[in-house]
Amino acid sequence: MTHTPDTAAPYLAGLNEAQREAVLMTDGAVLVLAGAGTGKTRVLTTRLAHILATGLAWPSQILAVTFTNKAAREMQERIGALVGGVVEGMPWLGTFHAIAAKILRRHAELAGLKSNFTILDADDQIRLIKQLLQAEGVDEKRWPARMIHAQIDRWKNKGLGPDQVPGGEAHDLAGGKGLDIYRQYQERLRVLNAVDFGDLLLLTTRLFQDHPDVLADYHRKFRYVLVDEYQDTNTAQYLWLRLLAQGSKNICCVGDDDQSIYGWRGAEVGNILRFESDFPGAKIIRLERNYRSTPNILGAASGLIATNEDRLGKTLWTEGDAGEKIRVRGLWDGEEEARFVAEKIETLHRQGQSLDTMAILVRASSQMREFEERFVTTAIPYRVIGGPRFYERMEIRDALAYLRVIQSPDDDLAFERIVNKPKRGLGDATLQALHAAARLEGVSLTAAAGALVQTDELKPRARNALAALLDDFARWRQAAEVLPHPELTETVLDESGYTEMFQMDRSPEAPGRLDNLKELVRAMEAFENLGGFLEHVSLVMENEQSAEGEKVSIMTLHGAKGLEFDTVFLPGWEEGLFPSQRTLDESGLKGLEEERRLAYVGITRAKRRAIITHASNRRLYNQWQSALPSRFLEEIPDAHVEKESAPGLYASYSTHDPFRGAGHAPSTYSSPGWARLRENVAQGRYARSPVVDSVAELVATNDPAAANAFAKGMRVFHQKFGYGRIQQADGNKLVVAFDKAGTKKVISSFVERA
């Protein structure tokens, strides 16, 4: 369609050159790389308004996809404000799942469904999988339904139906029956005329692939396709979009490869990186002028993210005064870190800054507890964004319920909460019998349970399970007389099966819940006994925050995306915590780059001031552990940062190696930040301690200079394998043909010249 744009239109006023280009480039494929704070939403809504105002398409001819219903509503409201009225009739503006559901209902018969199909929620899906596991004789304790459900969901997010899953991926799942369970699950859904959320995209994608005439209808229908937050799309969403966009080729995706931080949820940063190859001739427009942060904050964030290799590249800039440099503060431990942050908040508040404009962004939710308790002590109002307060979290309340029943057997509310957590076969019928007996006898649920297990009132399975639980509590009460209460708590969580429940859970939330339980145990160490700790928790929980008044915000870095604050505190920037050792072990270099993007997101939430803290000691797993500052600190350009540390910060004793698992992801040790850490350790800038010694050993192991001392053809000696000759040298990794042991792969630090 030939069109001469009205460059004087009022909705274009105030746009900068790159923003205006992104709005007016209406023909062909366009990728708008929108850096943090560069006006992404304004560009997207103005582009939609421009298409409507100039008659390029009717509202019903535009497919506009967002990730949340809230974003869709806001987009429609903003478009209306730009074009001077409420925009009616935009049926294809919504979330991926909402639009896919609408398409699937229109063509349900072609997908083997009826148009009135039901969309099952997670609870119904898990209940259905439980039935299948039971029918197949799969041990649900070994293979929980929730774990199988999570794996099926991951397959669907990858766009894989049961007939497309690689055999190797399902080989060990559910004793080799995982793929068959998936097939039966899909068949059962079809019989029930039901789908789950993953099916909405999976089935519509299959519909388009199997019925080209249906896809052609939507190609004719949609003149323009617009996608928000493209960097967060998973493989199924990507395949779905790519099929729909092959019609008019007028697709505009807005996103930021540097803010792709949801890999654990299935998001694929590669989707945005391959945009040009998916749509040859595509135009890439970079929005780099930032309207949020100071030059120092942007310089720090840009310098950090430039270390990543998997990115299309852009550099944020802004006008105005440089502003404060990012302040990096080294502290002794987590308690001092919380105290430092609280004192800084109080100082800024006295100077006139509102608490509403300050935020603490943590890598893991378990970090929140020390800040929450410090704020309660100092009467600083706070809110937790994106989740409950620490002691309100489900796993913490469950653990506390076990402890309350040990402390007070007549605590009915606590007993009822955990009587079937984890699952023991004590369902509603058993609870009803317990309540009836307790009312009749005028006793607590625990006492009623003790009486019922001596009778035939309950079915044998429930009676045996209840008796076993009462025996457990009797044993734990005896243990409470001799064991320290933190150790007692660990014992209870292990012996009850509660810890194992989350260890077997493969959902993204499970590792965080386990970390929170460990943090709970650590919190107890400051109290003389169990009763004192439980009373403390009650007092903390009683400190109810009113809905009114200013509050400091506490949230995870993942939850902070899209938000902004005048002052941002970024605690816990230490190796092993951030970047997360778990992420490095599981995903190697890819995981490291996502962690770095998370750091970039954290810094760019700050408008005026960013304060990063790291502690030299953390109390984890009942041990004091030393830590080194995060490699990310070494990657921030010195011109934008001001560092200060307490004397002797790294002199504490620890036998713990925070770089545990390094062998699983050796590529993560080639980053510039790690190189500077190696240099600092090698030059003795950190006081001697076992942790520094262990890092020094890793430095030697990963030192390219040391590795280069060995070359192909050289004779070497190994303590275990004896003499041999190097066949291949790759960095610090050698392939050696030993005279007697054969060919082996070894690390260069374990051999010497013969």
Side-chain angles (χ1 to χ4, degrees), residues 112-124:
L113 296 165
K114 299 174 184 176
S115 61
N116 63 341
F117 61 78
T118 301
I119 302 174
L120 298 186
D121 61 21
D123 286 343
D124 287 336

Side-chain angles (χ1 to χ4, degrees), residues 322-337:
E324 296 182 21
K325 290 185 177 182
I326 288 184
R327 184 179 177 186
V328 176
R329 172 77 176 190
L331 298 153
W332 179 252
D333 60 13
E335 184 178 345
E336 185 182 346
E337 182 180 56

